[in-house]
């Protein structure tokens, strides 16, 4: 299996190459050259997520140097439950938040980390975060001896709990608190990546959500959920998905395109309406993001749209947008009707008004967003995974929005 860029179609990359590059040389995103064809009977005797993921991912790894490691990678990356929980007659909740940092990003980040670890070469992963990505990446790579991780986050712009989750690591993880905003963090990271000498010297690699090594394992959980659902009900699954950068939703779209038993796919967005406007008007107009209480979905220029457009004439989805006030109301309603605490991102999916059966994709543990959820419904206990962040000592280095200082810190850290 080879991968190509969404922009020029004359060069092909192996999975390992695409994984390490992150973005194609022409700035495009990696997509499979052609999607594999599956016989659903091949999945009949498989039940657990690691087994199903392994079977599903095999064609993508064919001919790649990581092929023989795939089974090991799946069993180590996917070591926590992904339950489908019945909520009401027409709703089930697909809980993707039982990993180490309580967000669905753990699944992709852990798979990516296991792949990079299996490549067995020195790598420095450099990542700017506005919250959930950085902690998922740090947790996934923690204690992998050949890989160093440097995470930049903006001072005073993330929640206290998110900061705790970003600064509780030691050994191969360096957390840098930057005296500026998220855009400045991202600019610093981009500047370092654009410098070929630095890129080469530090063996830099990215781990952001457009990496194909995060997207493919996300397809795998839609494959698994649709097969479980089909087995239970004999029907195809409908999914409603909280959406920001469109990585999670695109994974469902790809899984359906490859023939798995999925019918409707809905994209729930917050007050950032770039995606819903595109589906209403056919015009894709990226803009600045708006701050909302579902902040991991505050995206004004969703990068995976480029992958969606690559496939667009052959697929169909629907979208809607939910304002903060409605998110708050839904959190209260779900709690009083079903006794269930949901986080603000998952709440956007519960806003769907449709009597048909849907699987609501739940992207974060509600305790992760306690500052929003608790004033609405009372105390939400931390899971034992999330509790661990409080048991570790804080380790963080503060820097200015300054390239020289950043390079100096990377230098010090990687030469240790
Ligand atoms: C990242 C994130 C999202 C948005 O996912 P995309 O793949 O960017 O669309 C939704 N909810 C939570 C909790 C997240 O961390």
């Amino acid at each position: 299996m080879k991968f190509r860029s969404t922009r020029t179609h004359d060069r092909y990359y192996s999975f390992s190459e695409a994984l390490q590059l992150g973005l194609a040389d022409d700035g495009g995103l990696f997509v499979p050259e052609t999607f594999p064809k599956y016989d659903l009977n091949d999945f009949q005797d498989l039940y657990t997520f690691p087994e199903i993921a392994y079977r599903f991912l095999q064609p993508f790894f064919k001919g790649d140097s990581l092929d023989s490691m795939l089974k090991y990678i799946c069993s180590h990356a996917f070591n926590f439950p992904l339950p489908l929980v019945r909520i009401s007659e027409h709703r089930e909740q697909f809980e993707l938040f039982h990993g180490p940092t309580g967000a669905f990003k753990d699944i992709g980040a852990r798979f990516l980390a296991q792949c990079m670890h299996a490549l067995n070469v020195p790598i420095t992963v450099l990542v700017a975060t506005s919250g959930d990505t950085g902690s998922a990446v740090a947790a996934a790579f923690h204690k992998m001896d050949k890989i160093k991780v440097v995470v930049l986050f903006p001072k005073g712009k993330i929640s206290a709990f998110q900061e705790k989750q970003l600064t509780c690591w030691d050994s191969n993880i360096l957390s840098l608190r930057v005296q500026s905003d998220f855009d400045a963090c991202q600019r610093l990271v981009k500047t370092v990546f654009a410098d070929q000498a630095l890129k080469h010297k530090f063996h830099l690699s990215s781990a952001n959500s457009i990496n194909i090594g995060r997207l493919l394992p996300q397809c795998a959980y839609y494959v698994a959920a649709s097969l479980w659902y089909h087995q239970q009900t004999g029907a195809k699954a409908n999914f409603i998905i909280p959406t920001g950068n469109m990585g999670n939703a695109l994974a469902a779209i790809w899984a359906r395109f490859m023939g798995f038993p999925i019918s409707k796919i809905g994209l729930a967005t917050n007050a950032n309406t770039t995606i819903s406007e595109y589906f209403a008007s056919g015009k894709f107009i990226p803009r600045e993001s708006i701050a909302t209480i579902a902040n991991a979905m505050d995206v004004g220029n969703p990068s995976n749209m480029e992958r969606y457009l690559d496939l667009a004439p052959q697929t169909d989805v629907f979208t809607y947008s939910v304002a903060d006030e409605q998110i708050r109301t839904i959190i209260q309603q779900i709690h009083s009707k079903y006794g269930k605490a949901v986080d603000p991102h998952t709440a956007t999916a519960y806003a769907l008004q449709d009597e048909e059966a849907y699987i609501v994709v739940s992207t974060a543990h509600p305790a992760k967003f306690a500052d929003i959820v608790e004033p609405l419904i009372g105390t939400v206990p931390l899971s034992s995974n999330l509790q661990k962040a409080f048991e570790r000592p804080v380790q963080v280095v503060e820097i200015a929005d300054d390239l020289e200082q950043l390079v100096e810190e990377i230098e010090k850290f990687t030469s240790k």
Side-chain angles (χ1 to χ4, degrees):
M1 159 78 69
K2 292 285 181 194
F3 295 83
R4 64 164 171 86
S5 163
T6 43
R7 299 193 184 166
T8 45
H9 299 186
D10 55 353
R11 216 199 123 184
Y12 293 93
Y13 304 78
S14 70
F15 175 79
S16 294
E17 279 178 304
L19 180 88
Q20 282 172 280
L21 284 170
L23 273 183
D25 297 334
D26 61 6
L29 277 62
F30 290 112
V31 295
E33 175 196 4
T34 52
F35 283 93
K37 298 255 183 304
Y38 293 90
D39 179 350
L40 297 192
N41 291 321
D42 291 345
F43 290 83
Q44 230 164 27
D45 302 323
L46 308 178
Y47 300 99
T48 70
F49 179 56
E51 285 175 332
I52 293 173
Y54 173 53
R55 175 69 193 83
F56 165 72
L57 291 167
Q58 270 175 322
F60 294 97
F61 279 67
K62 211 161 173 217
D64 190 78
S65 60
L66 289 175
D67 189 20
S68 64
M69 302 290 289
L70 181 60
K71 193 167 194 171
Y72 175 92
I73 290 168
C74 288
S75 65
H76 281 72
F78 310 134
N79 61 349
F80 50 87
L82 295 173
L84 261 179
V85 180
R86 170 140 317 267
I87 301 295
S88 67
E89 196 188 339
H90 300 298
R91 294 290 180 269
E92 286 185 68
Q93 180 167 304
F94 189 26
E95 298 187 351
L96 304 177
F97 57 71
H98 295 281
T101 70
F104 84 92
K105 294 187 173 71
D106 282 325
I107 299 160
R110 286 183 63 79
F111 186 79
L112 176 82
Q114 290 294 335
C115 289
M116 284 191 176
H117 185 57
L119 288 173
N120 199 27
V121 292
I123 292 175
T124 302
V125 173
L126 182 61
V127 59
T129 188
S130 56
D132 292 344
T133 289
S135 49
V137 168
F141 283 97
H142 190 220
K143 301 225 156 116
M144 289 182 168
D145 50 5
K146 281 208 169 137
I147 302 176
K148 299 242 152 98
V149 176
V150 180
V151 182
L152 283 72
F153 67 92
K155 181 178 184 174
K157 299 286 195 306
I158 63 174
S159 77
F161 184 66
Q162 283 174 322
E163 176 147 351
K164 193 91 215 164
Q165 281 192 314
L166 281 166
T167 57
C168 65
W169 309 104
D170 53 8
S171 72
N172 63 329
I173 315 288
L174 173 65
S175 295
L176 295 175
R177 183 165 53 213
V178 181
Q179 293 158 344
S180 190
D181 58 11
F182 173 63
D183 290 337
C185 296
Q186 220 167 14
R187 250 192 325 269
L188 283 170
V189 166
K190 279 191 183 154
T191 313
V192 177
F193 269 105
D195 185 325
Q196 291 305 318
L198 289 176
K199 200 174 165 185
H200 187 74
K201 179 176 173 190
F202 296 131
H203 309 283
L204 287 182
S205 201
S206 77
N208 56 25
S209 65
I210 46 144
N211 195 301
I212 190 79
R214 285 177 56 174
L215 194 53
L216 292 178
Q218 291 176 187
C219 295
Y221 57 69
Y222 287 105
V223 167
S226 69
L227 292 170
W228 292 332
Y229 186 83
H230 190 254
Q231 206 161 38
Q232 280 170 20
T233 65
K236 289 186 174 182
N238 298 323
F239 288 100
I240 178 73
I241 306 167
T243 296
N245 212 17
M246 238 176 127
N248 198 3
L250 187 84
I253 293 167
W254 278 10
R256 182 177 64 183
F257 188 70
M258 286 180 260
F260 291 93
I262 299 170
S263 180
K264 293 182 184 164
I265 297 174
L267 280 52
T269 62
N270 59 23
N272 290 276
T273 53
T274 309
I275 291 175
S276 47
E277 279 174 21
Y278 168 77
F279 286 100
S281 71
K283 292 197 184 87
F284 182 61
I285 309 166
R287 62 198 67 179
E288 297 278 294
S289 66
I290 302 166
T292 76
I293 59 170
N295 66 6
M297 291 157 51
D298 292 348
V299 181
N301 184 7
S303 15
N304 275 298
M305 197 67 185
E306 188 162 332
R307 285 190 171 114
Y308 175 80
L309 294 173
D310 201 70
L311 194 69
Q314 304 165 75
T315 193
D316 178 43
V317 301
F318 70 89
T319 70
Y320 59 81
S321 147
V322 188
D324 278 358
E325 263 332 288
Q326 202 187 346
I327 293 177
R328 288 199 175 88
T329 308
I330 289 164
I331 292 172
Q332 286 172 324
Q333 281 174 350
I334 298 296
H335 186 253
S336 62
K337 267 195 190 157
Y338 309 116
K340 192 102 183 145
V342 296
D343 83 281
H345 307 82
T346 303
T348 65
Y350 273 106
L352 177 71
Q353 299 288 322
D354 192 325
E355 284 297 299
E356 254 190 88
Y358 267 85
I359 296 175
V360 170
V361 176
S362 184
T363 49
H365 191 289
K368 211 174 165 165
F369 296 91
D371 50 340
I372 291 146
V373 177
E374 289 190 338
L376 299 168
I377 61 168
T379 309
V380 181
L382 283 174
S383 63
S384 59
N385 274 344
L386 297 185
Q387 187 64 43
K388 282 183 193 142
F390 289 93
E391 292 158 9
R392 298 196 175 104
V394 173
Q395 307 218 18
V396 62
V397 174
E398 191 163 312
I399 62 168
D401 176 8
D402 179 73
L403 184 66
E404 234 168 89
Q405 218 182 335
L406 170 62
V407 173
E408 204 175 294
E409 289 299 334
I410 301 176
E411 180 99 58
K412 253 197 290 184
F413 184 63
T414 52
S415 58
K416 260 200 264 185

